[in-house]
Amino acid sequence: MKDFISFMEKAWWRYITEGILEEGIREEIKESWKLCREYGVDPFGGVGEILDEKSMKVRLKENEELISVAHPIMEDIYRQVTGSGFLLVLVDKDGYLIDRIGDENIMGETRKLNFVEGALWTEEAVGTNAIALALRLDRPIQLVGAEHYCITHHMATCSAAPIHDEKGNVIGCLDMTGLKEEAHPHNLGVVLAGAYAIEKQLALMRSHKLIDATFDSIHEGMLILDHNFVVQRVNEIALRILNIAPKEIIGRHIQSFVDFDIIKEVLNQSEPYYDVEGAFYSKGRKIPCRINAVPVMANRKTIGTVITFREERYVRNVVNKLAGFRAYYTFEDIVTQDDKMKKVIETAKKAAKSDCSILIEGESGTGKELFAQAIHNYSKRAKGPFVAVNCASIPRELVESELFGYEKGAFTGANKKGKPGKFELADNGTIFLDEIGELPYEVQSKLLRVLDNHRIVRVGGTEEKKLNVRVIAATNRNLSEEVEKKNFRNDLYYRINVIKINIPPLRERKGDIELLAKVFVDRLNKYNNEQKVLSESFIKRLKDYHWPGNVRELQNVINRAYYLAEGEIITEDYFPENIERKNCEEDINVTAVLPFDVIEEKNIKEALRLAKGDVVKAAKMLNLSRATIYRKIKKYKVNLKELSSLVETK
């Protein structure tokens, strides 16, 4: 080593004085010396500048994680070399010293060279040194004596190794500096092992942070139990749902918080349970949830259990969105220029701001569901579900279970897990009971009870569930007459008839016929990218007709004429043959008019045929909601598969 030190001192002097590089100098040292000369580094200097206090604080903050991981490792290494005169230094990716450990006398001596926190140790700043080369070359390196470019560093030996992140990027450097007489190859091995340990610890820390972040970012409550079912870990969502602090649940048996039978079944069968209806108990509060329980296995033994859960109301909201339980229409979708209709809309808007039950009366096709959806979207419940129920389409024996749900095993053929009813699905939103006059008399009393106390009991169950549901009912019957006939309960009638909205038939607002017809054509043009218009003769035929099927019938007639018309003008030739023009005299009866149901069925089938069986497209053509067209498909027993195959053969 002495011979090497002597050789390098002579070689360095010759390069500094004559610019000649001797054979035997390492290539990386030659390259670095040349760079230092280009940079104009003073070979007789080598004392770099130090960052100001403010800039140093910023740099320490940027490297907070690196320092926190590296410092304990540096302390471990230093314990092995204490008393040998070495100093351990941590440098960031730019070459700034951010941490150091060493003997007091060594620390004092190095301050003379500004080898302290905040100093920059690049080649351009202080000449050739191990730190700069390790960062630039991205490999470990050891320098001894005169291999340093600046004479002030010739007394030292430096061993440095780069530190990488998980992607292989250089994020810093670990350096070990001492007197050149103490130089030994194992110094570099010690530094390399230290840098490797820092990298592994960083990767482990980030892995833990990733796991922690994942654990806390899961949109479900999560509990991790040991083999004795004691809670070992809990995420933020679980704490929020249960409204407790970590110390109130960690270390406690899960039986204190949930129905333990579910967990025991998982243990006994060593198989996971998914989407089980259950409840958590916290601070005297029962929290209905959907629970998943998964055993953790090792050597064919259960060593723990992972429980995830969501509040039932949250699950219902998700299901409602997926099932399309939402209102699509607003008051802006109700097209009118009729003063009477405008007053009805104003009344509906005022009603929407309250939580009162609403009864919408009107003939078939006047747009009762359109009004119900608009009221929902105008109310404070707009973000909640909108669940529409056609009371006439539910089999009599299933009405109660459809409305109020049922528990598992409630009756033969029931879902094994039970099923929530439409009222539960509408929690925090609106339930629209269309054709409420068709509701069986025996169910009416149960509905009245729900409206009175806002609680339901599932079929086959005993537990009451409190709900927050706004009821909008609709009928094309005269309910007061039905009450007199004993077909409808008097008390229920007054309970739902807090605010009544009566939609006038289309024949009483003649001015809307042409307006609505043109709106329907415009929508079809936009959908089909065409420019069709109605002829004056066609419009006259529309105005002369009395529209027993109201707006729905008008729309169906427009749809039919639109798709049959070959040119851009929709003439009276495309007015349905089954509809005769009504005489101008109001007292003359209309003849040869097909029942509205027949017209509606034909239009629905035609729209589905044109849409090639796509229900959503057909619904847009007919300006119907998805829920409504599915009800019509069911009502008219439309075979979609048969319809699709018919389209394909054509």
Side-chain angles (χ1 to χ4, degrees), residues 411-426:
F411 51 84
T412 304
N415 188 307
K416 292 180 180 179
K417 295 181 180 179
K419 184 181 177 183
K422 294 297 193 291
F423 268 87
E424 282 185 71
L425 294 174

Side-chain angles (χ1 to χ4, degrees), residues 257-493:
F257 299 94
V258 72
D259 181 1
F260 193 50
D261 289 341
I262 296 171
I263 314 304
K264 283 195 293 188
E265 284 190 62
V266 172
L267 174 65
N268 294 336
Q269 299 189 30
S270 299
E271 290 183 0
Y273 264 57
Y274 295 110
D275 199 31
V276 178
E277 209 173 61
F280 277 81
Y281 302 88
S282 177
K283 298 182 178 179
R285 188 168 63 103
K286 180 180 179 181
I287 308 162
C289 292
R290 289 281 176 170
I291 302 171
N292 305 316
V294 181
V296 180
M297 308 295 293
N299 298 323
R300 298 183 180 180
K301 290 183 179 180
T302 302
I303 62 170
T305 309
V306 176
I307 297 175
T308 58
F309 59 97
R310 283 186 177 186
E311 286 188 82
E312 199 170 82
R313 63 181 180 178
Y314 178 84
V315 176
R316 279 201 301 266
N317 289 341
V318 174
V319 171
N320 287 341
K321 288 179 182 178
L322 293 175
F325 291 145
R326 53 172 293 204
Y328 295 90
Y329 298 109
T330 66
F331 283 114
E332 284 69 32
D333 294 307
I334 302 175
V335 179
T336 186
Q337 57 186 15
D338 182 79
D339 290 339
K340 187 188 296 184
M341 190 67 166
K342 288 178 180 178
K343 288 181 181 178
V344 173
I345 292 172
E346 287 306 310
T347 301
K349 284 182 176 179
K350 291 177 183 177
K353 294 299 182 182
S354 74
D355 254 344
C356 297
S357 298
I358 297 173
L359 177 62
I360 303 175
E361 288 189 342
E363 295 179 6
S364 181
T366 50
K368 295 186 288 297
E369 183 169 351
L370 177 63
F371 262 86
Q373 291 194 24
I375 290 169
H376 172 80
N377 280 329
Y378 200 74
S379 75
K380 61 186 178 183
R381 298 172 179 270
K383 292 182 179 180
F386 176 87
V387 180
V389 182
N390 189 317
C391 299
S393 67
I394 308 172
R396 190 179 189 90
E397 64 276 9
L398 295 179
V399 172
E400 187 177 353
S401 62
E402 278 292 309
L403 291 179
F404 310 126
Y406 58 83
E407 298 291 354
K408 56 185 178 181
F411 51 84
T412 304
N415 188 307
K416 292 180 180 179
K417 295 181 180 179
K419 184 181 177 183
K422 294 297 193 291
F423 268 87
E424 282 185 71
L425 294 174
D427 196 19
N428 294 312
T430 302
I431 188 166
F432 174 54
L433 300 176
D434 197 9
E435 299 188 55
I436 194 171
E438 307 297 328
L439 205 62
Y441 199 83
E442 62 272 16
V443 177
Q444 292 177 23
S445 60
K446 294 183 179 179
L447 175 59
L448 176 64
R449 188 169 184 273
V450 171
L451 295 178
D452 282 339
N453 65 12
H454 304 287
R455 297 174 185 273
I456 62 103
V457 178
R458 288 186 180 183
V459 175
T462 56
E463 181 185 348
E464 285 191 331
K465 294 191 176 185
K466 186 171 177 60
L467 300 176
N468 177 18
V469 180
R470 202 265 187 85
V471 175
I472 300 177
T475 181
N476 56 12
R477 293 187 180 191
N478 186 324
L479 279 191
S480 59
E481 290 181 5
E482 295 300 312
V483 169
E484 290 178 8
K485 295 175 184 178
K486 305 297 183 184
N487 292 330
F488 201 84
R489 289 181 62 101
N490 185 54
D491 46 8
L492 178 59
Y493 173 66

Side-chain angles (χ1 to χ4, degrees), residues 88 141-142 154 169 176 197 214 265 279-280 288 414 502 507 524:
L88 282 167
I141 191 166
Q142 184 180 63
H154 286 188
N169 301 312
M176 185 169 154
T214 303
E265 284 190 62
F280 277 81
N502 203 313
R507 63 180 172 275
L524 290 168

